[in-house]
Amino acid sequence: MASVGALKFLLFHVLWLWNFLPSCQGDKHWHEKSYPFIRNASSFSSPSISTTTSNNEYDYIIVGGGTAGCPLAATLSQKFNVLMLERGGVPFTNPNVSYLENFHITLADVSPTSASQFFVSSDGVYNSRARILGGGSSINAGFYTRADPRFIKKVGWDINLVNQSYPWIENQIVHRPKFSAYQRAVRDSLLDSGVSPFNGFTYDHLYGTKVGGTIFDKYGRRHTAAELLASGNHEKLTVLVYATVQKIVFDTKGKKPKAVGVIFQDENGKQHEAVLANDRHSEVIMSSGAIGTPQLLMLSGIGPKEELQKLNIPVILDNHFVGKGMVDNPMNTMFVPSERPVHQSLIETVGITKMGVYIEASSGFSQSNDSIHCHHGIVSAEIGQLSTIPPKQRSPEAIKEFIKNKKDLPIEAFKGGFILSKVANPWSVGELKLVNTNVKDNPSVAFNYFSHPYDLERCVKGIRLAIKVVQSKHFTNYTLSDRKTAEELLNLTVKANVNFIPKHAQDTKSLKQFCKDTVITIWHYHGGCRVGKVVNPDYMVLGVDRLRVVDGSTFDESPGTNPQATVMMMGRYMGLKILRDRLGKLADFRHSYLETNKGTKFIH
């Protein structure tokens, strides 16, 4: 998932946020004219799989209306009947999703109706997965940057089709950031610290320092992947929200199991069956993300036989690679103290280094009247407030008292920002396992951060660079703060860090210990359905027919500094490729390509 690993604070939020947070899922009055094909799941009606007629069948059923699913559905609907099922609501009238200043409120909300579903990895790191139309693009920090060309070559994508697919996204929802004074200080400090050259504003992945795109427009309004659905064929596209898919249905009478439909539950708890057309080209396509896709495959009977049998799940296909190869890019931060009020900015500038770390920055959280009532973990500028409560003493009662007092704090108390250091392409690998058969519950996920020494080595280099950036004269001139020593900066950061990992006295003495104890997520987890293990190079699930995966669960590394651009592009790319493979010359999008790509710089 995209940039800034903003952390949620403990389970007591459930009670507290109930009283303070506005409604988190826009469920009415949402752009009916632009999206007439979106409706609640309870409106769906069809006969059972055994008695259905062709009028109730779909050429493609897409499970998950997220970052990849939306562009995929819009593209396939140009020629075929498409049903897309999304477990969450719509983003269009949800102010917590739509506005940059409320970025943290959704992330702080752990209620059942939140647009983000909170989970804690077994490593003790807080994380989030999207539960809303638009997926991660509806809850992330908005940064948009293309993949490293090496990644495109590695996964074997057609470069011409890639260069046709990126601009289709960019021309609809991507913008140039306003470029705040804080981000300008980041840029100058990165260059001063040797992360050069300066590549200006570009979507391309280039070594050095650059300014990237954003899905927030100049008014601070978010434009999500859900808006890409407007480009679909309204007559052939059906999108159901609050539709929680519980399992994929298979016909097991032939030589190989064949997907024939899905069973899903609507917002009222009623079950429905959606059925594929009786055509060998029709498919169920999983686009539920790195957590949801392997989870649902296993709940449907595709996964490690011994694990499925423990939960009494009928085995359709024994594949012990499902859920394996889970990776999350570890992030560590450095607090930037400020003597002047710092305005909010999300990721705009990035330093792409050759030592395998990316440096980004964020600032000014808790600035809105709503957001100031939320705790946002490591990326909230609450140094001197929350840090007065030692980690082991942060009981629900103590935190409740802190929150009560926090409401009376002046907004000027919330100052500062963070420099973020992300390890690129980590070698540490984990796994995902089911804990029960309820698809609404999170599975158990272990990322095994820094279990490989090479990742720890790069983290130390990243922290040293982050310290150098914060100590730069460009930052001290901007923040009006005295130049802090490395130990002072580490101490400030450790005190505010929030995760379930115990802290040690050596955190400010040993950078290796600091990395391990203060690791957080940047939401860029991937894997679980890797190519060659679970799917083939065309992303068809091995060992079964008419089932495909199109999302980041197929990746063995996160593309570029932020994956959202490439995951959205993947949805468009695979939609075009499927049309081309199925229709040949009939799938002629040449004219639309040329119109879309005017004046656009392509990957080489």
Side-chain angles (χ1 to χ4, degrees):
M1 196 163 78
S3 298
V4 188
L7 305 176
K8 294 190 191 72
F9 195 56
L10 301 180
L11 298 178
F12 67 87
H13 267 298
V14 174
L15 296 176
W16 171 57
L17 292 163
W18 183 269
N19 296 320
F20 288 100
L21 292 175
S23 174
C24 288
Q25 293 274 5
D27 58 357
K28 54 186 177 180
H29 309 306
W30 38 263
H31 293 205
E32 290 94 337
K33 293 182 179 179
S34 299
Y35 306 95
F37 45 82
I38 302 178
R39 59 179 191 263
N40 284 357
S42 57
S43 67
F44 184 82
S45 177
S46 76
S48 69
I49 287 176
S50 59
T51 62
T52 188
T53 63
S54 60
N55 292 332
N56 301 100
E57 297 172 345
Y58 296 91
D59 298 299
Y60 296 97
I61 298 174
I62 300 173
V63 181
T67 317
C70 288
L72 176 65
T75 304
L76 291 175
S77 72
Q78 296 297 331
K79 298 291 183 180
F80 295 100
N81 291 322
V82 176
L83 172 66
M84 186 168 72
L85 303 169
E86 166 54 43
R87 66 185 184 135
V90 295
F92 307 120
T93 56
N94 184 338
N96 296 343
V97 168
S98 296
Y99 297 104
L100 186 150
E101 67 175 10
N102 291 337
F103 164 65
H104 295 85
I105 298 181
T106 290
L107 296 167
D109 182 5
V110 296
S111 70
T113 59
S114 174
S116 66
Q117 183 174 355
F118 171 61
F119 72 95
V120 184
S121 73
S122 61
D123 313 274
V125 172
Y126 297 1
N127 214 316
S128 303
R129 48 189 293 218
R131 182 168 49 195
I132 189 169
L133 192 67
S137 69
S138 293
I139 66 171
N140 65 19
F143 192 56
Y144 182 97
T145 179
R146 295 182 178 187
D148 184 342
R150 179 194 56 80
F151 176 88
I152 302 297
K153 184 177 181 180
K154 178 182 177 182
V155 297
W157 288 341
D158 180 337
I159 191 63
N160 292 322
L161 204 56
V162 168
N163 282 335
Q164 293 162 354
S165 300
Y166 270 127
W168 185 82
I169 307 294
E170 292 153 6
N171 291 345
Q172 295 185 73
I173 65 171
V174 186
H175 304 267
R176 186 166 183 160
K178 294 174 70 174
F179 203 54
S180 68
Y182 186 89
Q183 295 290 328
R184 188 171 293 109
V186 175
R187 176 199 65 188
D188 294 342
S189 297
L190 281 167
L191 293 171
D192 198 37
S193 301
V195 186
S196 59
F198 179 55
N199 294 305
F201 169 72
T202 178
Y203 297 147
D204 291 342
H205 185 94
L206 302 169
Y207 287 116
T209 297
K210 75 165 195 172
V211 177
T214 178
I215 57 174
F216 288 101
D217 63 25
K218 63 181 180 180
Y219 303 108
R221 186 174 183 89
R222 182 192 296 271
H223 297 269
T224 76
E227 295 183 25
L228 301 173
L229 292 169
S231 298
N233 183 338
H234 297 192
E235 301 300 317
K236 291 182 175 292
L237 178 59
T238 301
V239 177
L240 299 182
V241 292
Y242 305 115
T244 303
V245 175
Q246 297 176 306
K247 65 180 294 187
I248 306 161
V249 180
F250 294 95
D251 178 353
T252 58
K253 294 193 263 319
K255 291 183 177 180
K256 288 201 301 187
K258 176 177 67 176
V260 295
V262 300
I263 294 175
F264 67 93
Q265 189 179 77
D266 67 24
E267 71 273 19
N268 299 320
K270 183 179 178 181
Q271 283 194 339
H272 303 267
E273 295 174 324
V275 186
L276 282 177
N278 187 22
D279 187 300
R280 65 187 181 88
H281 296 292
S282 298
E283 298 173 5
V284 172
I285 304 178
M286 295 298 306
S287 294
S288 299
I291 306 297
T293 291
Q295 178 189 23
L296 191 56
L297 285 181
M298 286 191 278
L299 289 174
S300 303
I302 299 177
K305 181 178 179 180
E306 63 280 4
E307 293 182 32
L308 302 183
Q309 290 177 333
K310 287 178 182 178
L311 294 172
N312 296 317
I313 298 173
V315 178
I316 299 296
L317 180 72
D318 179 15
N319 185 334
H320 68 276
F321 291 112
V322 177
K324 303 300 189 293
M326 296 294 297
V327 177
D328 188 21
N329 294 80
M331 183 174 79
N332 296 81
T333 66
M334 189 60 52
F335 179 66
V336 183
S338 178
E339 292 300 321
R340 74 164 81 194
V342 177
H343 294 291
Q344 187 180 51
S345 73
L346 298 178
I347 310 302
E348 298 175 4
T349 307
V350 61
I352 300 174
T353 74
K354 293 185 178 180
M355 61 185 178
V357 295
Y358 304 141
I359 303 295
E360 301 172 336
S362 56
S363 67
F365 303 108
S366 302
Q367 294 297 304
S368 73
N369 290 331
D370 291 324
S371 184
I372 197 170
H373 292 153
C374 299
H375 173 66
H376 311 124
I378 189 63
V379 291
S380 62
E382 296 166 353
I383 304 302
Q385 318 297 333
L386 177 62
S387 60
T388 60
I389 305 175
K392 292 184 179 180
Q393 297 177 28
R394 292 173 190 174
S395 65
E397 293 75 21
I399 302 304
K400 187 176 181 180
E401 183 63 25
F402 163 73
I403 293 166
K404 179 181 177 182
N405 295 333
K406 178 183 173 182
K407 287 190 294 179
D408 300 324
L409 291 172
I411 200 166
E412 290 77 17
F414 296 84
K415 298 179 181 180
F418 288 85
I419 299 298
L420 319 174
S421 176
K422 164 189 167 180
V423 174
N425 308 327
W427 290 15
S428 303
V429 178
E431 64 179 331
L432 177 151
K433 291 185 176 183
L434 297 179
V435 294
N436 58 35
T437 57
N438 187 349
V439 71
K440 294 182 179 180
D441 291 344
N442 290 310
S444 172
V445 187
F447 294 115
N448 297 328
Y449 299 103
F450 300 127
S451 57
H452 197 287
Y454 182 50
D455 296 341
L456 194 58
E457 176 187 328
R458 286 182 291 165
C459 176
V460 169
K461 291 179 180 178
I463 294 301
R464 284 177 179 151
L465 177 57
I467 292 172
K468 194 174 181 181
V469 168
V470 177
Q471 291 177 332
S472 165
K473 63 181 180 181
H474 300 287
F475 254 123
T476 55
N477 289 343
Y478 171 74
T479 62
L480 302 178
S481 296
D482 294 335
R483 187 177 187 272
K484 303 291 185 183
T485 66
E487 187 167 347
E488 287 174 328
L489 291 171
L490 292 171
N491 190 53
L492 285 172
T493 303
V494 170
K495 282 185 177 180
N497 181 262
V498 180
N499 59 28
F500 279 134
I501 301 174
K503 306 300 182 287
H504 295 83
Q506 287 296 107
D507 283 339
T508 59
K509 305 291 184 182
S510 166
L511 290 184
K512 287 185 177 182
Q513 195 66 52
F514 176 87
C515 285
K516 290 188 287 188
D517 289 357
T518 66
V519 63
I520 57 176
T521 185
I522 197 168
W523 302 337
H524 297 172
Y525 48 83
H526 50 279
C529 297
R530 291 193 177 189
V531 175
K533 305 291 187 181
V534 179
V535 298
N536 70 16
D538 285 326
Y539 305 108
M540 298 299 297
V541 177
L542 298 169
V544 298
D545 287 332
R546 305 207 306 177
L547 180 61
R548 193 188 303 254
V549 175
V550 178
D551 60 29
S553 69
T554 63
F555 296 165
D556 61 8
E557 67 177 85
S558 182
T561 60
N562 183 290
Q564 81 159 339
T566 303
V567 175
M568 285 191 283
M569 182 278 293
M570 180 191 193
R572 174 64 171 176
Y573 174 97
M574 287 305 301
L576 292 175
K577 189 175 186 302
I578 291 169
L579 290 177
R580 186 178 67 183
D581 291 347
R582 184 166 178 177
L583 298 176
K585 292 182 179 180
L586 292 177
D588 185 7
F589 286 78
R590 178 176 171 79
H591 177 71
S592 62
Y593 287 160
L594 294 175
E595 291 300 310
T596 300
N597 296 336
K598 285 180 178 178
T600 303
K601 183 179 180 181
F602 296 146
I603 291 176
H604 299 290

